[in-house]
Amino acid sequence: MNQNSLTDTLNVSLISPSISSYKSTDSTIKLGIMASGNGSNFEAITQAIDDGRLSAEIQVLIYNNPDAYAAVRAAKSGVPAVLLNHRDYKRRQDLDGQIVQTLRQYGVEWVVMAGWMRLVTSVLIDAFPNRILNIHPSLLPSFKGSHAVEAALAAGVKIAGCTVHLICLEMDSGPIVMQAAVPVLPGDTPETLHARIQVQEHRILPDAIALAALYPERGLSNLP
């Protein structure tokens, strides 16, 4: 395989629904982002906003890990960042209650869990019904949980990918908004496969946000 063929193979993806211009909305989407780690999906959203692909404003970043690089990215983008360390709360419901209070304080309309590594409760879900999106590194409903990439490789699948879906109480469930598939290559490790999946996460997350916000009253079964 020559270098051009290898590059083409690495860049292969299948996205559904196909990426289109979903930025035309009646108003700017007011987003609250929740992240626990590096924040690369946070940056993908800010880049899409800057490029005019997504008509939105990030009102606040909430992060639960004091060392999360997402907070550094937020500072560089001029986005308020609020640390809500889960270790400071005895119950998940107490943490979620503080998250809800913070999101409302900043006027958030839609919530995006962009690498949020904590299970959420009905306290948060009920406060933003059908308005919380999550990005997960598998083609749901396959390979739920925090080790999805490793599980996909262990199962020997030939196609992996990522999913943007609405949050419900069951982990990594809820109506699917958009998915992207990528090939699993011979010799892939969790690191190489995850890197390929992340490229597609960064592509579909901004479009999925716009798509979901355009059609909330019609239901996801009627999405184009």
Side-chain angles (χ1 to χ4, degrees), residues 2-39:
N2 61 37
Q3 186 61 44
N4 288 337
S5 297
L6 177 59
T7 300
D8 290 342
T9 299
L10 291 174
N11 289 334
V12 166
S13 66
L14 171 65
I15 295 174
S16 182
S18 60
I19 291 180
S20 301
S21 178
Y22 296 126
K23 66 181 181 180
S24 299
T25 58
D26 293 335
S27 59
T28 301
I29 308 165
K30 296 181 178 179
L31 298 175
I33 310 297
M34 297 167 58
S36 297
N38 183 267

Side-chain angles (χ1 to χ4, degrees), residues 48 51 54 87 125 143 147 157 172 179 187 197 201:
D51 291 345
L54 177 62
R87 301 168 186 83
I125 294 171
F143 309 119
H147 299 288
V157 299
D172 295 328
Q179 290 182 308
I197 291 172
E201 289 182 3

Side-chain angles (χ1 to χ4, degrees), residues 201-222:
E201 289 182 3
H202 300 162
R203 291 180 66 188
I204 70 171
L205 184 53
D207 291 272
I209 293 168
L211 184 57
L214 269 177
Y215 298 94
E217 72 286 349
R218 289 174 49 184
L220 292 177
S221 62
N222 295 314

Side-chain angles (χ1 to χ4, degrees), residues 97-162:
Q98 188 59 55
I99 291 172
V100 170
Q101 181 178 326
T102 302
L103 293 170
R104 287 175 172 166
Q105 175 186 343
Y106 283 91
V108 168
E109 299 170 340
W110 280 83
V111 183
V112 181
M113 295 169 58
W116 181 256
M117 303 304 293
R118 305 291 299 174
L119 292 175
V120 297
T121 70
S122 59
V123 173
L124 176 57
I125 294 171
D126 292 347
F128 293 89
N130 297 315
R131 286 178 177 262
I132 307 176
L133 294 167
N134 181 54
I135 181 82
H136 181 74
S138 81
L139 294 174
L140 293 174
S142 298
F143 309 119
K144 299 178 182 181
S146 59
H147 299 288
V149 177
E150 291 86 348
L153 285 174
V157 299
K158 303 307 179 185
I159 298 175
C162 52

